Amino acid sequence: MAVDIKSIISEITAKKDITNISFAGCGGSLVCFHAPNYYVQHESKKLSTSYTSANEFVHDTPACVGPNSIVVVASRRGNTAETVEAAKVARSLGATVIALVLRHDDAAEKTPLENAADYTVLFWDGPGASFHEDKGAYALKIAYELVNAVDHNTAKYEAMTAGMDKMDAILSAAKEAIVPEAVKFSIGYKDDKVIYTMGSGTAWGAAHQESICIFMEMQWINSSVIHTGEFFHGPFEITDPDTAYLLLKSTGKTRAVDDRAIRFLNMHNRHLTVIDGMDYGMGQLGEVSEYFDASFNTAMLGVFNKLLADMRNHPLSKRKYMWKYGY
């Protein structure tokens, strides 16, 4: 059953005059906050926000964090040491901490992150899970519920809640429809030693995650994420016909930024894959589609990544260092 985020935000804002929301995590559990942070930046006139890697948050905490802050942290297993410490630092400054942790069987045994937080949201992304229960969805809900509570932007809030309700059907159909493109990608990219990911808007978050968590961590492929707006300010010089690119196209206001990069690559490169949510139903969300781009692309890349791992005979679970050594 999905957690009632609206009630959590209502309870917090009844006790405190919230002026800041900050996000901290590591790897994919930081990247899931890119879209919520983006939403607050672009939709709230009253809230400041920050988006910080957990260990940096610990050692160089943003000045905006204090008693009038909500700090949202995430760790899949609930035991990422840097994130647990970030939660403790936030609480020591008087902030209210909300932790996102994967649902676990033993509810009596709280994880270290749950123990360090004021509120825990147990997400789920296993078989049969609804999009409403996803980590990224919960993070986005926290953002738009808080912005609505503070800024009272009712029209955008209603569009976001309506969009949230449409995502299960969109993702289900898209995961099936995109399989041919995913097969083509797995065959065409299986031997690449370097793959660059690209994006803008909230899709940049999904591109970042694909680069660091999939290509580098899970497939041992050299990679770097490039914002399409920055592409022409240095990175495009590495382009040759066979440079491998994966571009996640925005469905929102930064779509024109992506189009510029695509036009260049179509002229000078023959190894580009573009995932465009507009081809797979994201237009149904209207003006708020851009805030769901990260979640959409992450779901589609789940299809791509399983096929790529199979084609390369390199399981997504394979590691050299992670969880094996002290670091």
Side-chain angles (χ1 to χ4, degrees):
M1 180 180 293
V3 178
D4 186 357
I5 298 298
K6 186 181 183 71
S7 294
I8 293 175
I9 296 301
S10 295
E11 184 173 314
I12 296 171
T13 54
K15 298 175 183 177
K16 290 184 174 184
D17 179 19
I18 299 297
T19 58
N20 166 261
I21 181 168
S22 290
F23 302 94
C26 300
S29 289
L30 171 63
V31 174
C32 76
F33 295 140
H34 182 261
N37 181 69
Y38 193 94
Y39 182 84
V40 176
Q41 285 183 335
H42 289 81
E43 298 297 341
S44 179
K45 295 180 179 179
K46 297 182 179 180
L47 293 164
S48 64
T49 183
S50 68
Y51 171 84
T52 315
S53 184
N55 211 21
E56 182 171 317
F57 185 97
V58 170
H59 291 280
D60 192 9
T61 311
C64 57
V65 176
N68 297 107
S69 295
I70 292 175
V71 175
V72 192
V73 293
S75 167
R76 188 172 184 83
R77 300 182 181 191
N79 61 357
T80 306
E82 301 97 314
T83 307
V84 173
E85 190 60 28
K88 292 178 180 178
V89 168
R91 288 189 73 182
S92 75
L93 294 171
T96 300
V97 176
I98 302 175
L100 276 60
V101 178
L102 182 70
R103 196 171 76 203
H104 44 86
D105 294 333
D106 190 353
E109 287 293 327
K110 288 188 174 182
T111 64
L113 189 58
E114 290 175 78
N115 286 326
D118 296 289
Y119 295 89
T120 297
V121 174
L122 296 178
F123 66 86
W124 182 241
D125 53 16
S130 164
F131 178 70
H132 280 273
E133 301 174 275
D134 181 76
K135 178 172 59 175
Y138 277 131
L140 197 52
K141 286 180 186 181
I142 290 170
Y144 70 65
E145 289 290 356
L146 180 62
V147 171
N148 187 57
V150 173
D151 289 78
H152 309 294
N153 62 344
T154 305
K156 190 58 61 73
Y157 174 76
E158 290 176 352
M160 290 296 291
T161 56
M164 187 70 66
D165 288 339
K166 294 176 182 177
M167 283 297 285
D168 272 321
I170 290 172
L171 293 179
S172 178
K175 285 179 183 177
E176 183 175 344
I178 208 167
V179 168
E181 188 66 24
V183 170
K184 180 181 176 183
F185 176 87
S186 69
I187 296 171
Y189 286 69
K190 65 182 177 62
D191 296 320
D192 284 304
K193 304 301 182 185
V194 180
I195 303 175
Y196 295 100
T197 64
M198 300 178 68
S200 66
T202 72
W204 183 90
H208 183 199
Q209 178 167 288
E210 183 71 4
S211 178
I212 68 169
C213 295
I214 305 299
F215 291 150
M216 288 197 277
E217 176 189 332
M218 299 185 187
Q219 289 298 291
W220 305 349
I221 297 171
N222 287 314
S223 182
S224 181
V225 59
I226 304 168
H227 192 285
T228 52
E230 287 293 289
F231 183 58
F232 296 100
H233 302 280
F236 74 147
E237 284 293 342
I238 56 88
T239 301
D240 63 33
D242 298 315
T243 307
Y245 288 105
L246 170 63
L247 192 151
L248 310 180
K249 190 172 182 179
S250 170
T251 64
K253 290 183 285 293
T254 63
R255 191 171 176 86
V257 180
D258 298 337
D259 278 332
R260 183 186 177 201
I262 292 169
R263 284 194 298 271
F264 175 88
L265 290 171
N266 282 340
M267 288 188 293
H268 302 284
N269 176 266
R270 59 187 178 218
H271 200 14
L272 167 67
T273 293
V274 176
I275 298 178
D276 183 355
M278 285 299 189
D279 294 334
Y280 298 97
M282 288 293 284
Q284 297 174 44
L285 305 186
E287 64 172 342
V288 299
S289 66
E290 61 187 329
Y291 297 123
F292 293 89
D293 280 343
S295 292
F296 171 82
N297 282 294
T298 297
M300 296 307 102
L301 288 169
V303 180
F304 277 54
N305 296 333
K306 288 177 182 178
L307 290 170
L308 180 65
D310 288 346
M311 189 62 64
R312 299 182 72 245
N313 193 28
H314 187 120
L316 293 169
S317 59
K318 191 174 183 179
R319 302 290 187 279
K320 286 187 289 188
Y321 307 113
M322 189 170 283
W323 307 311
K324 295 184 177 182
Y325 301 94
Y327 47 86

